[in-house]
Amino acid sequence: MSVRTQSAPAAQAKALSAAQVNPSLLKQPKAVWAVFFACIIAFMGLGLVDPILPAIAKQLDASQSEVTLLFTSYNAVMAVAMLITGAISSRIGVKWTLLTGIIIIALFSALGGASNNIWTLVGLRGGWGLGNALFVATSLAAIVSLSNSGTAKAIILYEAAIGLGISVGPLLGGWLGGMSWRGPFLGVATLMVIAFIGLSILMPKSNSKSTVKTKTSLLDPFRALKHRSLLTFGIAAALYNFGFFTLLAYAPFVLGLDEHGLGFVFLGWGLLLAVTSVFMAPKLQQSFGTIKSMCLMLVLFALLLLVMGIWTSTQWVVITAVILAGALLGNNNTLITTAVMNSAPVERSTASAAYSFLRFLGGAIAPFLAGKLAEWYNPHVPFIVGAAFVLISVLFIGMNHQHVKHVDQASAGH
């Protein structure tokens, strides 16, 4: 009888201990949820603009390659700005870095909505990229450091916020863009004001977990890239982003849909991205490992881009491929972000900044290149070239496998 009475409390203590070691993804501090919802609104900005690209080209008398510069300036400024995010956040704190980023996004998106020519708009999108760099790099580090459920689950939460923002953004952008191409820009500014209020109220002024003890140097991201594993993932992401931003920035021009139609297509894309990043990516990681799963997703994405390149003139094929690509991109984004966070013995914010610098360089070149390839050759070529770059990223990871294979053990430990 005594054995029974003692075993029940022991079992309860064991269960409680297990729950504390591996708490639920949804049981997070308020600060995590504040950043999570701000991330949703921030990433709505990317999807909001997508359905209005053809309308901007038409109403501002701009070529397709000129309109794709809206992504190029945004990503180029964001890539360079990523290098200073750690230095800024270590001096003014995580909360104020996030709020500063939100203010800059709101300001430049509002000015974009009031602009009257494509080159002014391209320049203002660059300013928007600066704000996004401050927010994106810091928000990932904030969620990972503030979360009580481990790195892997924190990254899933971050990717879920991105997916929700990207999926809802096109629907809202299509609706606002149906009234005027300026609508989505002014919509982003309004949403950023809401995000600013929410983050100001819900995120604590100081938190020992989120406060960086030492000031980060501007050279730290470059020093971090001396780690071959981090450099490998950064270059692979730059190559993979040629495919990602070819789809995002150029596909709207070949779909032949109005703002509402484009909004619904990219809503489907974003929903699959959100769902797979949360529910499917962890299962792939557990079953096949981070690196193998990542390479599989990249190969399948390259094949989808090739399909889009071959059947560019067949609308239903391109629509289906765009939506299905969301599933592959959702999985890959979570897998590669997890890999980066576990790739090198450096601060997570520094690793994120170094990786993002390389990743967004690819995102800066790809949109303009896609537009130019279509002008120089035909609408099929951008997708085929994008597919080639994605396949090269897989080959590059394979060539450096001995430098990144430790990531699977590190991911399993989280």
Side-chain angles (χ1 to χ4, degrees):
M1 184 74 180
S2 61
V3 174
R4 279 185 172 181
T5 56
Q6 288 174 5
S7 63
Q12 289 174 351
K14 188 176 180 181
L16 181 61
S17 175
Q20 289 172 340
V21 170
N22 192 24
S24 168
L25 176 68
L26 300 178
K27 292 182 179 178
Q28 302 288 352
K30 285 182 179 179
V32 171
W33 290 117
V35 179
F36 175 82
F37 287 116
C39 279
I40 293 175
I41 296 173
F43 279 96
M44 275 186 188
L46 190 65
L48 270 168
V49 176
D50 218 46
I52 58 170
L53 294 178
I56 292 174
K58 184 178 179 181
Q59 294 181 35
L60 294 184
D61 295 320
S63 66
Q64 291 181 3
S65 60
E66 286 173 346
V67 172
T68 58
L69 284 171
L70 292 174
F71 282 96
T72 292
S73 63
Y74 176 82
N75 285 329
V77 173
M78 187 151 45
V80 176
M82 283 291 177
L83 298 173
I84 64 170
T85 54
I88 292 172
S89 65
S90 67
R91 285 161 174 79
I92 68 173
V94 170
K95 180 175 181 177
W96 276 108
T97 306
L98 292 172
L99 292 176
T100 302
I102 287 174
I103 291 168
I104 294 171
I105 294 170
L107 176 63
F108 281 95
S109 58
L111 290 172
S115 64
N116 292 309
N117 69 76
I118 188 63
W119 297 109
T120 302
L121 200 55
V122 167
L124 292 169
R125 274 285 281 181
W128 188 337
L130 170 62
N132 225 51
L134 291 171
F135 184 86
V136 170
T138 313
S139 62
L140 172 58
I143 286 181
V144 170
S145 62
L146 291 166
S147 173
N148 56 14
S149 57
T151 301
K153 286 184 178 179
I155 289 169
I156 290 168
L157 200 64
Y158 174 76
E159 293 295 339
I162 292 175
L164 286 169
I166 288 176
S167 60
V168 175
L171 190 64
L172 188 59
W175 177 65
L176 292 172
M179 294 183 279
S180 168
W181 70 263
R182 301 176 190 276
F185 285 89
L186 300 175
V188 168
T190 304
L191 289 171
M192 284 293 104
V193 171
I194 296 170
F196 181 89
I197 295 169
L199 211 57
S200 299
I201 296 170
L202 294 175
M203 195 168 181
K205 290 182 180 178
S206 61
N207 188 301
S208 58
K209 287 185 178 181
S210 63
T211 303
V212 180
K213 299 286 172 75
T214 57
K215 291 181 180 179
T216 304
S217 165
L218 290 171
L219 296 176
D220 282 354
F222 292 107
R223 295 191 186 108
L225 289 174
K226 290 180 181 178
H227 295 281
R228 188 68 174 268
S229 52
L230 186 59
L231 181 64
T232 297
F233 288 126
I235 293 174
L239 293 166
Y240 144 70
N241 261 5
F242 272 84
F244 184 99
F245 279 97
T246 295
L247 182 142
L248 200 63
Y250 182 69
F253 292 107
V254 302
L255 284 169
L257 298 169
D258 64 8
E259 293 85 353
H260 295 289
L262 288 170
F264 280 113
V265 169
F266 280 94
L267 169 67
W269 172 80
L271 285 174
L272 279 183
L273 190 147
V275 171
T276 54
S277 66
V278 176
F279 298 106
M280 190 174 174
K283 294 185 185 300
L284 286 171
Q285 189 177 324
Q286 289 169 10
S287 300
F288 306 107
T290 305
I291 306 299
K292 285 182 180 178
S293 300
M294 190 192 309
C295 290
L296 174 62
M297 292 302 107
L298 289 172
V299 169
L300 291 175
F301 179 46
L303 291 175
L304 265 185
L305 286 171
L306 192 60
V307 167
M308 293 171 72
I310 296 170
W311 288 282
T312 310
S313 303
T314 310
Q315 189 185 55
W316 72 267
V317 172
V318 180
I319 289 173
T320 304
V322 167
I323 293 171
L324 290 177
L328 305 177
L329 298 173
N331 282 320
N332 189 67
N333 286 349
T334 296
L335 291 166
I336 198 166
T337 305
T338 304
V340 167
M341 289 293 102
N342 295 312
S343 64
V346 297
E347 286 278 346
R348 289 189 178 113
S349 57
T350 303
S352 177
Y355 157 74
S356 296
F357 167 66
L358 293 175
R359 175 170 60 131
F360 287 114
L361 279 182
I365 300 167
F368 183 66
L369 178 64
K372 278 298 181 185
L373 286 171
E375 290 172 10
W376 291 336
Y377 302 104
N378 58 63
H380 302 263
V381 175
F383 298 112
I384 296 169
V385 171
F389 274 107
V390 175
L391 282 177
I392 292 170
S393 75
V394 179
L395 294 174
F396 186 74
I397 293 170
M399 288 165 56
N400 290 276
H401 185 259
Q402 71 271 27
H403 300 291
V404 299
K405 60 184 180 181
H406 68 279
V407 165
D408 282 317
Q409 287 81 19
S411 299
H414 288 75

